C-alpha cells in the first residue's frame, strides 16, 4: 500500500508551497483568502519552505511562514519561534548570543480584530 495521494502529491497539503514563495508578491493570495474563508480563520501558519530572512508574513499578513532552515542539512541557523499574543501581536523570538530571548515584530502580520467575511475584491 502506497502513500495516499492527499499526502504524496506535489500539490498536497503537506508539500504545497503556494503561500511560501520567498518573494511575497509571488504567493497565491487569492486561493489563500478563499481557504481562510472556508476554514473561518484569520491567518494560516505554514512551514516546509525555508524563508532565508526568518519568520515572516505575506498576503497582507494572512500567512505566516515559519521555516527558517535551522537543520544542519539546510542553513544551520538558530531556531526562531512564532509568538502570537491574544491574536493581536505577532512576534518572532530569537535567542541572542548572550542567551537572552529577543523579540521582533513580524512585519505586516496584522492584528485580527474581526472575522473574515468576504473575499478581497482584487482577487
Amino acid at each position: 500500500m502506497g502513500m495516499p495521494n492527499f499526502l504524496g502529491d506535489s500539490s498536497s497539503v503537506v508539500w504545497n508551497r503556494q503561500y511560501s514563495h520567498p518573494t511575497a508578491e509571488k504567493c497565491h493570495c487569492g486561493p489563500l483568502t478563499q481557504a481562510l474563508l472556508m476554514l473561518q480563520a484569520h491567518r494560516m501558519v505554514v512551514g516546509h519552505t525555508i524563508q532565508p530572512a526568518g519568520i515572516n508574513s505575506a498576503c497582507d499578513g494572512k500567512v505566516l511562514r515559519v521555516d527558517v532552515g535551522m537543520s544542519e542539512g539546510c542553513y544551520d541557523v538558530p531556531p526562531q519561534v512564532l509568538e502570537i499574543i491574544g491574536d493581536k501581536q505577532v512576534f518572532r523570538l530569537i535567542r541572542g548570543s548572550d542567551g537572552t530571548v529577543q523579540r521582533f515584530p513580524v512585519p505586516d502580520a496584522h492584528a485580527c480584530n474581526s472575522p473574515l467575511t468576504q473575499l478581497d475584491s482584487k482577487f
Side-chain angles (χ1 to χ4, degrees):
M1 180 172 179
M3 184 182 308
N5 286 341
F6 70 89
L7 292 179
D9 185 78
S10 64
S11 63
S12 73
V13 67
V14 175
W15 297 104
N16 188 306
R17 292 184 164 101
Q18 290 182 346
Y19 316 132
S20 295
H21 194 284
T23 304
E25 294 79 29
K26 293 185 178 182
C27 291
H28 295 244
C29 298
L32 171 66
T33 300
Q34 290 176 342
L36 291 172
L37 283 168
M38 287 189 296
L39 295 169
Q40 298 181 0
H42 296 282
R43 59 172 75 105
M44 185 179 293
V45 177
V46 299
H48 198 69
T49 302
I50 296 171
Q51 302 297 306
I55 292 174
N56 64 75
S57 68
C59 300
D60 196 28
K62 292 177 186 167
V63 63
L64 299 168
R65 293 112 45 105
V66 299
D67 189 339
V68 297
M70 64 186 196
S71 167
E72 287 180 17
C74 294
Y75 294 140
D76 196 22
V77 299
Q80 294 184 18
V81 174
L82 176 67
E83 178 183 41
I84 301 173
I85 301 173
D87 217 12
K88 304 275 186 230
Q89 299 172 298
V90 183
F91 298 99
R92 64 184 177 125
L93 307 179
I94 304 170
R95 187 174 305 279
S97 58
D98 63 356
T100 61
V101 175
Q102 300 171 2
R103 177 181 279 140
F104 302 94
V106 175
D108 298 322
H110 310 294
C112 296
N113 295 318
S114 61
L116 294 171
T117 56
Q118 60 185 1
L119 288 174
D120 293 343
S121 59
K122 64 183 176 183
F123 299 115

